[in-house]
Amino acid sequence: MTRIVTVGAGQLGPIAAADSRADVVERLIVLLRQGADAGCDVVVFPELALTTFFPRWYTEDIAGHDHYFETEMPGPETKPLFDEALRLGIGFCLGYAELTPDGERFNTYLLVDQRGRIVGKFRKVHIPGHEDDEPWRPFQHLERRYFQESDEGFPVFLGFGGVVGMALCNDRRWPETYRVMGLQGVELVMIGYNTPIHYAPDPAQNALQGFHNHLCMQAGAYQNGTWVVGVAKGGTEEGVESLAQSAIIAPSGQIVAQALTTADELITARCDLDLCANFKETLFDFARYRRAEVYGLITERKGAIPPHEEEAHR
Ligand code: CDT
C-alpha cells in the first residue's frame, strides 16, 4: 500500500519592506497555481511569508512593528490566497506574525487543507536572537523582542492522509523538535525558515549555514522516520543575504528535491507516507529500543552543567 502526498515547497525570494501584503499574496498565488499544475496536494510557504523579516530592525516600542502582524486569519488582504487555494483544491501552510486579541505576539504557522479547513496551527517554540538593541551587529536579530516563546510545544495533526507536524526556522536545529513529534507518530514535518548567512556572534559559521541547514533536517527526518519539507525565504532582503536551499527530505534522510535558486521557486516531490514505517518499525522502533527511563536529564535540566560545576548548582 502507498499513501502518496504530493508536496510543494513554495520558496520565496526577498520581500522588501515597501512591498504590500497584496504584492506578496499575488506571489504566493502564483506558487499555489504552479503547485496545482504539478499535482500538489499542499504547498508549504516559509516562515513570516507575508512580510519582510522585520526583526532585523529595532523599535523602542514594539507596537511600532504592529503593522507587520496579522490580527485575523484570513484577513481582508490574505483572503484571496485562501479563496484561490479552495478554488484549486490545494492545501497550504503559511507563516506569519500573529498578534492575538490579548496582545500576545507569536511567530505562527497555519496549515489549511484542500477543502479550506484549518488543520492546525503552530507557534514557534525556540525563539533565537536577542531582546535589546545591539548596534555592534551589521543587522539585528530581535525575534526575542517581538515574539513570545510558545509553550504549546509540537502538536501533530491528522491531515493529507497522514500525521503532520510543523516547526519554524530555529526549531529545526533542535533534535527535541523532531523527537516530540516523532513520539506522536509524525510522518510529514513542515518547516519554514529565514536564515541570514551572516551569524554575528560567530562569523566562522557563515560558510557552514547551508551544511547546518540540511544536516539538522536530514538527521531529524532519519532519526524519526519522517518526511521533512524545509522552505526558505532566501536571497538578499533589505541588504541582508539569507539562505535558500529549500529541500524535501525522505525518511531515509536523503534529499529528494532541492531549490536551485534564491528566488520564488516551487519544488515538488511525491512523498510516500508509508515509507516512514520502514524506519519507524526497524532501527527506530521507539517502543522497542528507546530508553526513556535514562533520558531524564533531557527534560529535567535546561543548560549544560559539567561535573566540576555540579556542586555550585546544588
Ligand atoms: N528565523 C530564525 O529562526 N532564524 C535563525 C537565525 C539564528 S541566528 C540569530 C535560524 O536558526 O536560522
Side-chain angles (χ1 to χ4, degrees), residues 238-256:
E238 298 291 343
V240 175
E241 189 189 2
S242 285
L243 185 73
Q245 295 190 358
S246 300
I248 302 177
I249 301 159
S252 59
Q254 293 166 290
I255 293 176
V256 298

Side-chain angles (χ1 to χ4, degrees), residues 47 53 124 128-129 141 143 169-170 172-173 194-196 199:
E47 176 192 44
F53 190 78
K124 187 169 179 175
H141 197 106
E143 277 194 73
C169 198
N170 192 259
R172 78 194 188 287
R173 301 185 192 274
N194 282 262
T195 294
Y199 183 58

